[in-house]
Amino acid sequence: MTTPILDCKNQAVAIGDIVRIITLSKKFINNFPEDERILIESMIGQFFKVIDLDEDGYPCVMREWHDERGILQTHVIALDSEEMEKV
């Protein structure tokens, strides 16, 4: 039996659930190129569907946008319990 993945309120989170990102660490955000940081920061407070679990079992969400040239960009990020709230 695997350990359930919990959100900040100790609610179980699974693939297909909707979560709200409540925080992302500055250290994590600063790993991105400067022009992408505002897009990553804008994920805070937004709702995302859990699309997968990473190799360590953390829930992953995806953000898509078009850059200034109209090219589709995506970021898939894994969330820790304190970074998300199941809705």
Side-chain angles (χ1 to χ4, degrees):
M1 184 169 140
T2 61
T3 305
I5 300 150
L6 303 175
D7 73 352
C8 66
K9 294 184 176 178
N10 291 322
Q11 302 175 96
V13 176
I15 294 172
D17 286 344
I18 303 298
V19 296
R20 181 174 64 92
I21 296 179
I22 56 174
T23 188
L24 293 171
S25 77
K26 285 293 181 189
K27 183 178 179 181
F28 172 75
I29 292 168
N30 289 336
N31 284 324
F32 291 92
E34 191 171 333
D35 62 336
E36 292 180 25
R37 291 178 192 162
I38 193 167
L39 297 167
I40 300 301
E41 286 179 317
S42 73
M43 294 175 76
I44 298 170
Q46 300 299 312
F47 299 89
F48 296 90
K49 184 177 185 176
V50 175
I51 59 167
D52 204 355
L53 303 177
D54 74 1
E55 60 275 0
D56 295 319
Y58 291 98
C60 297
V61 298
M62 181 172 61
R63 170 85 189 260
E64 295 182 334
W65 70 92
H66 290 87
D67 68 12
E68 65 277 356
R69 295 179 307 272
I71 297 171
L72 180 65
Q73 303 289 316
T74 61
H75 277 298
V76 176
I77 62 171
L79 300 169
D80 290 330
S81 294
E82 68 274 2
E83 296 176 324
M84 65 181 164
E85 178 183 10
K86 181 178 172 181
V87 295

